[in-house]
Amino acid sequence: MPRDSGARARLVQRWSARLALAAGVAAVVILLVFAGVRSIALLGVGLAGLVISAASLWWALTLRGIGRLLAFTLAAVAPLAVMALYAWAELLWVVLVSLASWALGVSIGVAALSMDREQADLPEVRTAPPKRPFLIMNPRSGGGKVGKFHLREKAEALDADVLLLDAAHEQDVAALADKAVEDGADLLGVAGGDGTQALVAGVAARHGIPFMVISAGTRNHFALDLGLDRDDPSTCLDALTDGVELRVDLGFIGERAFVNNASFGAYAAVVQSPAYRDDKVRTTLQTLPDLLTRRRGPRLTVRTGETAIDGPQAVLVSNNPYRMGDPAGLGRREALDSGALGVLGVNVDNAAQAAELLAGRHAPGLTALTAQEVVIDADEPEIEAGVDGEALSLPTPVRCTIRRRALRVRVPRHRPGVPRTKAPMDWRRLGKLALR
């Protein structure tokens, strides 16, 4: 039966690849048959519209006042003008049908290529339940998920010691976690945002005890990559009674741990503003022009071994690299135990370079690297950083490292799991698959 099942899967994959190629060819044929030589002009006009929109967005982010308004208007009008030209030439339906056929081919092709894509799941180890778990819960996190899902009551019913953070006073969660370990806690857990998760994770790693994630934050990026249920954080408590352990990497900026990423440059400077949390859009639009045009902020230099990135406006150092293959995968990591930091640097000085970012990871202004150590230096004694969403000011140079499999994470044995990643589109590989 398994052999027959495998044969059927290969047959479905092969015919899916053929259907994807047929749809892609149909998209080109439709243009050639109904537009003839004008198809080249159609493609040129469409590409020009994309370039103008990208350049206009750059101007909108670097200008103020009437200049910004005009740039936003041009960014919106450019694609409408392209569609109007297609309609004037009585070829709008041709373009739409061709695009639909191409999109269908890409969708089916990615599905076909992903059928034999193996997901490297983290190894699980069955261990005994903790005897004295200590959980820190932030009642404000995620819009009040701790109260909404009755996390404190459910955890205490499972004999966990729960500390509810005081919403009116700032508390040192790392010190609270250290004290709990001194008092005999054999597991530390957090129901809160990724920044709080990281601080307590660092304590757990230092003491060599398990750490538990309760997905009560707003975005829960770390919980996503661990395969936890982000819709119902109470299911994470199952780890206390029926759990397994995973070993994952932990990033460090100096001696401070981070579970997701540390950002430097434009984004880090924006989130430092006291007005950012109350009005993110306005604060960003007010701050970016000076940052992107280098009228404000330090000039950064990034070094990873023998490679250097000079003067990037934004740098992201992540605990394991983020996916770059397709837009749907951004914000997710292929692995949490590769032992490598991901490094993304953006260096854009004008509208032309902003338009080149349409090329994705191959754009000249975008640098993607992996390294075990990253040093961020600047022409100022301190730089602003965002570490798992927390705004910090750090003395230069800043050293980021990674400790492989330093963190023991206890998760429920039964959980949704990490969403399967899709393979990047590759027409050449698709052709070989179709002809196999």
Side-chain angles (χ1 to χ4, degrees), residues 4-19 112 115 433-434 436:
D4 292 341
S5 178
R8 284 197 298 270
R10 289 192 294 272
L11 183 63
V12 170
Q13 184 185 39
R14 185 163 59 248
W15 279 102
S16 295
R18 292 171 180 173
L19 181 58
M115 286 181 182
L433 185 62
R436 187 171 63 185

Side-chain angles (χ1 to χ4, degrees), residues 402-416:
I402 190 167
R403 299 178 192 174
R404 189 173 189 188
R405 304 186 70 191
L407 183 63
R408 299 165 58 190
V409 183
R410 187 170 179 87
V411 297
R413 187 162 59 94
H414 300 292
R415 58 193 186 280

Side-chain angles (χ1 to χ4, degrees), residues 151-396:
L151 298 180
R152 180 180 185 177
E153 296 80 2
K154 292 178 179 179
E156 289 178 340
L158 296 172
D159 295 327
D161 186 7
V162 178
L163 173 66
L164 203 64
L165 294 178
D166 187 348
H169 301 89
E170 187 172 343
Q171 295 170 273
D172 188 340
V173 294
L176 293 171
D178 266 319
K179 180 65 167 57
V181 176
E182 291 176 7
D183 292 341
D186 59 354
L187 176 143
L188 295 175
V190 173
D194 288 324
T196 308
Q197 300 275 3
L199 290 172
V200 180
V203 176
R206 187 169 69 251
H207 290 284
I209 65 174
F211 175 67
M212 195 174 87
V213 175
I214 304 171
S215 55
T218 302
R219 297 178 181 85
N220 298 302
H221 289 306
F222 191 42
L224 170 67
D225 290 328
L226 289 172
L228 299 175
D229 189 340
R230 297 189 299 166
D231 295 324
D232 184 359
S234 66
T235 60
C236 299
L237 296 173
D238 293 342
L240 294 174
T241 54
D242 186 17
V244 293
E245 275 193 22
L246 312 175
R247 284 274 190 170
V248 304
D249 302 339
L250 199 56
F252 283 85
I253 180 167
E255 293 301 316
R256 181 187 176 111
F258 62 90
V259 294
N260 290 325
N261 58 65
S263 61
F264 307 87
Y267 173 74
V270 168
V271 299
Q272 293 279 344
S273 171
Y276 178 75
R277 292 193 181 275
D278 296 328
D279 194 343
K280 292 180 173 60
V281 174
R282 178 178 299 222
T283 304
T284 300
L285 291 176
Q286 288 178 344
T287 310
L288 278 182
D290 290 338
L291 295 171
L292 295 180
T293 56
R294 306 183 196 279
R295 292 192 295 266
R296 174 191 159 191
R299 182 177 181 85
L300 302 178
T301 302
V302 181
R303 295 191 302 273
T304 61
E306 298 180 356
T307 304
I309 309 173
D310 185 44
Q313 285 109 324
V315 178
L316 184 75
V317 180
S318 57
N319 174 22
N320 285 261
Y322 285 110
R323 289 197 62 200
M324 294 289 290
D326 63 276
L330 294 180
R332 286 179 47 201
R333 291 164 283 188
E334 297 277 10
L336 288 175
D337 60 348
S338 71
L341 296 167
V343 184
L344 290 176
V346 178
N347 198 332
V348 179
D349 291 319
N350 51 55
Q353 291 178 354
E356 288 177 341
L357 288 178
L358 292 172
R361 68 180 304 166
H362 301 293
L366 182 64
T367 304
L369 304 168
T370 59
Q372 277 71 49
E373 178 177 302
V374 182
V375 177
I376 299 93
D377 208 345
D379 55 1
E380 295 184 9
E382 284 192 349
I383 56 174
E384 296 163 328
V387 182
D388 283 338
E390 300 293 327
L392 303 174
S393 291
L394 302 171
T396 55

